[in-house]
Amino acid sequence: MKIFLIVLVIILAIAIVSVVYPIISGRPAGEKQPSGMSLYKSGDGGATWQNITSFPGGAITVLRFDAENPEYLLTGTIGRGIWRGKRNGEEWKQYPLSLGEGAKIFDILEPASDKDLTALVFYSGRGRVIQQRGETREELLFTPAERYAFFQGSASRDKKLLRVIGSDGGLYESRDGGKTWEVLSRFQEGLSLFEPNPSRDLQMWVIDTKGDLFRSDNGGRDWADLRDGLNEFSGAKNARMLFFDPTSNTLYHASSFGLLRSPDLGKTWEIVKTTISPELLPVTAVAVEPGNPKKIFAGAGGQLYISENRGITWRGTRVASAEISRILIDPKNSKNIFLGLAETAR
């Protein structure tokens, strides 16, 4: 009888834990916990890397420094919302509700801080622009139909001017902090990538789902068709990232072709001759050291390649087994670099 009671107590304890734990942790029952293999940091300019094993959020889509306290990181994830934690991997906090469990984060508009952030979220079947200020959360914009999303955007420093692109082909703008919105342009195809020129407020680039590139010089009302410039590069239409370096006035294009750059705002392109074979690995992330256009970073698979002479020579290091999705460089100390992975490394 005693053995039976002991077994019964154990079964009840397991049942209670399996029901209560998902509720308090915000995770579905039986879902596997992330293994903490998606966030890496280097303190020596990329020579060596350390896995931040304490990061609990899983696959990473966005990496930002907290604008008010750069000792903290803001990370957007695939399905686990936004997390904030110290650079050393301590004090991770998950945002709640539509910025938390179950939310896929496509972008966190800069500047962003713990007390004031705007995120592009896919949550509960729809794309949403969510703003959180202090303890107040507000939905500024949502897609009228399910399964559509807002992928990327930009914000002015005072957060009055907001721009976002959608998978419905729309470029949306708000000039009153998200209270009202205007459709500036609507493309025939959905828009997937967006890159503003931080030194010229009215200049921006978009790439649609076919991989075609367009540039606007008047705030998104008219567009120059730049698709022909990429046609000669096989695989370039499978674009993974656009990056504009304002110091050198150079636009970078990462794709299944490899790495391209344009010195004339996207009209013509030249090949950046990396040591990466595009037939084996696409370039999935690119960054340039702030204020130093000679130093270029390119991610391909789980490997990071660094050039200190504008792409003439490269050195590479294998960081992880999963694809690098984001490269974040400390503007005050470029030796501090963070990498986010598109999936949890094995």
Side-chain angles (χ1 to χ4, degrees):
M1 187 66 179
K2 289 184 178 180
I3 296 176
F4 173 79
L5 290 174
I6 292 172
V7 172
L8 182 60
V9 169
I10 293 173
I11 292 173
L12 287 173
I14 293 172
I16 290 170
V17 169
S18 66
V19 172
V20 173
Y21 177 75
I23 295 173
I24 63 175
S25 67
R27 299 183 58 80
E31 184 176 336
K32 187 178 179 180
Q33 290 284 348
S35 61
M37 297 288 283
S38 59
L39 181 60
Y40 288 76
K41 69 176 181 180
S42 173
D44 53 15
T48 60
W49 291 91
Q50 176 187 351
N51 173 222
I52 302 179
T53 56
S54 60
F55 176 65
I60 291 173
T61 54
V62 189
L63 269 179
R64 300 275 188 251
F65 290 117
D66 186 309
E68 296 296 325
N69 188 348
E71 286 304 308
Y72 283 81
L73 297 174
L74 293 167
T75 63
T77 68
I78 300 176
R80 301 211 62 211
I82 297 175
W83 294 76
R84 181 179 184 267
K86 284 187 174 181
R87 294 185 185 205
N88 63 6
E90 298 176 352
E91 299 182 15
W92 290 107
K93 177 190 74 172
Q94 184 186 32
Y95 284 70
L97 302 176
S98 54
L99 296 179
E101 204 68 30
K104 181 173 183 179
I105 310 300
F106 285 108
D107 204 357
I108 301 172
L109 306 189
E110 294 188 283
S113 69
D114 184 38
K115 296 180 180 179
D116 187 357
L117 66 82
T118 304
L120 309 188
V121 180
F122 187 80
Y123 180 75
S124 191
R126 291 180 188 270
R128 305 169 194 272
V129 180
I130 304 293
Q131 182 183 78
Q132 176 155 325
R133 287 181 169 169
E135 299 299 320
T136 303
R137 183 182 291 100
E138 184 179 1
E139 185 174 88
L140 304 180
L141 185 66
F142 60 88
T143 58
E146 292 187 348
R147 298 188 298 277
Y148 285 86
F150 302 112
F151 288 140
Q152 287 186 292
S154 65
S156 60
R157 183 151 293 277
D158 62 4
K159 297 288 186 73
K160 294 293 185 183
L161 176 61
L162 304 174
R163 295 187 181 114
V164 299
I165 60 166
S167 59
D168 62 349
L171 170 66
Y172 301 86
E173 181 184 86
S174 174
R175 290 186 169 272
D176 54 13
K179 295 177 182 177
T180 61
W181 293 84
E182 177 185 1
V183 182
L184 294 182
S185 301
R186 191 172 295 281
F187 291 74
Q188 291 184 346
E189 304 294 330
L191 298 178
S192 56
L193 294 175
F194 172 78
E195 180 70 3
N197 183 340
S199 60
R200 289 184 60 185
D201 179 58
L202 298 179
Q203 191 168 77
M204 65 198 73
W205 294 263
V206 296
I207 289 182
D208 66 18
T209 52
K210 286 186 175 181
D212 292 331
L213 175 68
F214 304 87
R215 188 190 75 240
S216 176
D217 298 321
N218 62 1
R221 298 188 181 277
D222 300 293
W223 295 87
D225 188 338
L226 304 177
R227 73 183 79 188
D228 290 343
L230 294 170
N231 285 339
E232 62 180 286
F233 305 104
S234 175
K237 291 301 180 78
N238 183 18
R240 305 297 294 272
M241 178 176 284
L242 277 177
F243 179 85
F244 184 75
D245 175 37
T247 303
S248 61
N249 212 41
T250 301
L251 182 66
Y252 287 86
H253 182 284
S255 71
S256 293
F257 174 83
L259 187 60
L260 298 168
R261 67 180 164 214
S262 173
D264 53 11
L265 305 177
K267 293 180 182 178
T268 61
W269 295 88
E270 59 186 39
I271 299 172
V272 183
K273 295 181 180 179
T274 67
T275 56
I276 310 162
S277 173
E279 293 82 9
L280 298 177
L281 289 172
V283 175
T284 56
V286 60
V288 175
E289 183 179 294
N292 179 15
K294 291 183 179 181
K295 193 165 186 178
I296 307 169
F297 299 79
Q303 298 155 105
L304 183 71
Y305 296 84
I306 303 172
S307 173
E308 301 198 34
N309 49 21
R310 296 199 79 242
I312 297 174
T313 60
W314 295 82
R315 59 183 170 90
T317 181
R318 188 176 185 276
V319 181
S321 60
E323 179 183 289
I324 296 171
S325 58
R326 289 293 181 267
I327 304 169
L328 181 65
I329 305 167
D330 187 342
K332 294 184 177 181
N333 183 356
S334 60
K335 291 186 178 295
N336 296 324
I337 308 168
F338 296 84
L339 299 180
L341 304 187
E343 59 184 86
T344 302
R346 295 180 294 279

